[in-house]
């Protein structure tokens, strides 16, 4: 069976040209460019909680980085460095180095795409848990925050929502998707696309931003709370896939659209005066950017359906301590 150090050496030690010092010492050394602030974020994925224990290791490696890249996107930061902490069950290491190889492949594949260097981490034995910390750079004072929304701002969403939650409902046998729907929705769940380029381009355009990881209502709710404002959104203005359209307005589909997790799209607000620039950015990035509502003074989030009736949901989003 490989030792902790064999694992680190074999699978997680790669050149880190953007760091002063990478894996192998007691700490990594990095040097942010001058005039930049460091944006730091951690996300932990626990087997049985965030993914099925038998999940495809390559996709898991990809996703464990992708969810962190999404946090950088939401801040408008450029991701640069990452650390990776792994708790691995003994039997998995003993019998199956294939798992480690595939996991590393998925992780480094996406890291390479975004020029992110793995500079450190920790490897230990325990129930399968993956924790990635990402460090990014953003120009001093320019990061997109949750607290910048102002009454009158438009509310925008990138891409479309709900497919990952629909795919999860299928995997949990709460719904049975057809093969073409599975093909459309499953990638959203297992290989989400973090909006890294878009996030950086939103600096100077967006007043506030968040990534939709726990469900639109919950995450937009965070913007409202941080900004001390209210909002009204129209459910029918939210872009969704052809598969999702097949199931709306069933309750489960509405729940996936409004409160499903794992979308990793960006929700941001911007003054009306920026509409033209945001539409141009959408064309330039080839990412749909859709206005779904408006920030108002006050408190609370009002969701209207096509007929103008209020939509109410039992749960607003994913909360680990409430499920
Ligand atoms: P320490 O005992 O000082 O915590 P470790 O033996 O845990 O050091 O780690 C040795 C080196 O390997 C460190 O540079 C650490 O950052 C790195 N490392 C450990 N686990 C991982 C991992 N899963 N991915 C990347 N680097 C790792
Ligand atoms: Mg250690």
């Amino acid at each position: 069976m490989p030792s902790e150090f064999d694992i680190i050496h074999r699978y997680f030690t790669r050149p880190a040209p953007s760091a002063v010092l990478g894996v192998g010492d007691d700490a990594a050394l990095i040097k942010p460019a001058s005039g930049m602030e460091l944006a730091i974020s951690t996300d932990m994925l626990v087997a049985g909680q965030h993914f099925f224990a038998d999940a495809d290791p390559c996709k898991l490696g990809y996703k464990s980085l992708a969810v962190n890249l999404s946090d950088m996107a939401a801040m408008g930061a450029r991701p640069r460095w990452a650390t990776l902490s792994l708790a691995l069950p003994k039997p998995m290491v003993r019998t199956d180095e294939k798992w480690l190889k595939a996991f590393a492949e998925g992780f480094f594949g996406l890291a390479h795409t975004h020029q992110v260097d793995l500079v450190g981490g920790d490897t230990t034995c325990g129930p399968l848990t993956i924790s990635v910390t990402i460090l990014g750079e953003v120009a001093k004072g320019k990061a997109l925050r949750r607290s910048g929304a102002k009454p009158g701002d438009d509310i925008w969403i990138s891409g479309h929502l709900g497919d990952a939650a629909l795919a999860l409902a299928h995997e949990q046998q709460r719904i049975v998707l057809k093969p073409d729907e599975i093909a459309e929705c499953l990638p959203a769940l297992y290989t989400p696309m973090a909006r890294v380029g878009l996030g950086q381009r939103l600096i100077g355009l967006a007043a506030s931003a968040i990534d939709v990881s726990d469900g639109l209502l919950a995450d937009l709710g965070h913007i409202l709370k941080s900004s001390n404002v209210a909002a009204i959104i129209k459910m029918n203005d939210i872009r969704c896939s052809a598969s999702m359209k097949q199931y709306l307005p069933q309750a489960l589909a509405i729940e996936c659209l409004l409160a499903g997790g794992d979308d990793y799209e960006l929700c941001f607000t911007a003054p009306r005066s920026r509409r033209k620039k945001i539409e141009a950015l959408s064309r330039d990035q080839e990412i749909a950017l859709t206005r779904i509502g408006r920030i108002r003074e006050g408190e609370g989030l009002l969701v209207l359906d096509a007929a103008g009736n209020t939509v109410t949901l039992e749960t607003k989003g994913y909360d680990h301590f409430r499920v």
Side-chain angles (χ1 to χ4, degrees):
M1 177 152 85
S3 74
E4 175 188 333
F5 304 102
D6 293 334
I7 293 172
I8 297 168
H9 181 71
R10 264 180 229 164
Y11 300 105
F12 301 112
T13 306
R14 302 265 177 113
S18 69
V20 179
L21 186 64
V23 168
D25 213 312
D26 293 308
L29 300 171
I30 55 173
K31 188 174 186 295
S34 76
M36 305 298 260
E37 284 172 343
L38 277 183
I40 305 172
S41 176
T42 300
D43 255 313
M44 183 151 78
L45 301 180
V46 178
Q49 190 79 28
H50 301 91
F51 59 91
F52 302 111
D54 61 354
D56 178 325
C58 182
K59 289 181 176 152
L60 209 50
Y62 173 102
K63 187 168 175 178
S64 62
L65 182 59
V67 301
N68 282 274
L69 293 175
S70 178
D71 285 319
M72 291 293 105
M75 299 301 287
R78 177 184 164 210
R80 307 268 341 250
W81 306 283
T83 67
L84 169 66
S85 295
L86 282 175
L88 302 167
K90 242 184 218 163
M92 214 168 82
V93 174
R94 187 184 299 129
T95 58
D96 200 7
E97 272 189 65
K98 275 208 304 259
W99 191 97
L100 280 163
K101 191 163 180 281
F103 178 89
E105 222 172 83
F107 185 96
F108 284 112
L110 186 61
H112 179 76
T113 303
H114 291 279
Q115 294 172 289
V116 167
D117 286 331
L118 184 67
V119 296
D122 204 18
T123 306
T124 178
C125 187
L128 182 59
T129 305
I130 305 155
S131 177
V132 173
T133 295
I134 189 130
L135 298 100
E137 286 180 326
V138 59
K140 210 167 175 182
K142 298 283 191 220
L144 305 173
R145 301 181 186 206
R146 297 177 177 185
S147 57
K150 295 276 184 304
D153 276 4
D154 293 319
I155 300 168
W156 296 80
I157 292 284
S158 67
H160 58 263
L161 298 183
D163 280 359
L166 205 57
L168 181 64
H170 172 82
E171 300 283 69
Q172 293 171 331
Q173 288 156 17
R174 290 192 290 139
I175 194 172
V176 181
L177 297 181
K178 300 184 193 79
D180 57 323
E181 295 164 350
I182 295 172
E184 184 170 45
C185 295
L186 242 55
L189 180 62
Y190 292 118
T191 48
M193 190 93 81
R195 300 301 192 183
V196 175
L198 175 65
Q200 290 168 73
R201 295 285 302 274
L202 283 175
I203 286 194
L205 287 178
S208 68
I210 191 166
D211 66 321
V212 183
S213 56
D214 293 328
L216 175 65
L217 299 193
D219 290 318
L220 177 55
H222 294 315
I223 286 188
L224 303 184
K225 201 147 186 237
S226 299
S227 303
N228 281 311
V229 290
I232 180 166
I233 61 172
K234 290 190 190 160
M235 188 170 76
N236 285 62
D237 288 347
I238 302 170
R239 203 177 276 264
C240 62
S241 68
S243 304
M244 175 61 90
K245 285 196 184 120
Q246 298 300 312
Y247 297 94
L248 285 170
Q250 290 177 29
L252 178 72
I254 291 180
E255 190 191 305
C256 288
L257 184 67
L258 296 177
D262 271 355
D263 291 307
Y264 302 105
E265 292 295 348
L266 295 181
C267 173
F268 59 95
T269 76
R272 277 180 78 102
S273 59
R274 308 233 166 105
R275 279 185 189 176
K276 285 245 147 45
K277 283 190 174 158
I278 292 170
E279 284 158 7
L281 176 61
S282 168
R283 289 190 293 274
D284 184 64
Q285 295 274 300
E286 297 178 7
I287 298 171
L289 299 176
T290 314
R291 274 185 286 119
I292 61 162
R294 183 73 69 86
I295 297 291
R296 309 200 286 193
E297 277 180 28
E299 222 178 89
L301 172 54
L302 190 60
V303 185
L304 301 181
D305 67 13
N309 297 316
T310 307
V311 179
T312 44
L313 280 190
E314 283 191 7
T315 53
K316 286 207 170 67
Y318 194 76
D319 179 333
H320 289 291
F321 295 100
R322 291 232 175 110
V323 286

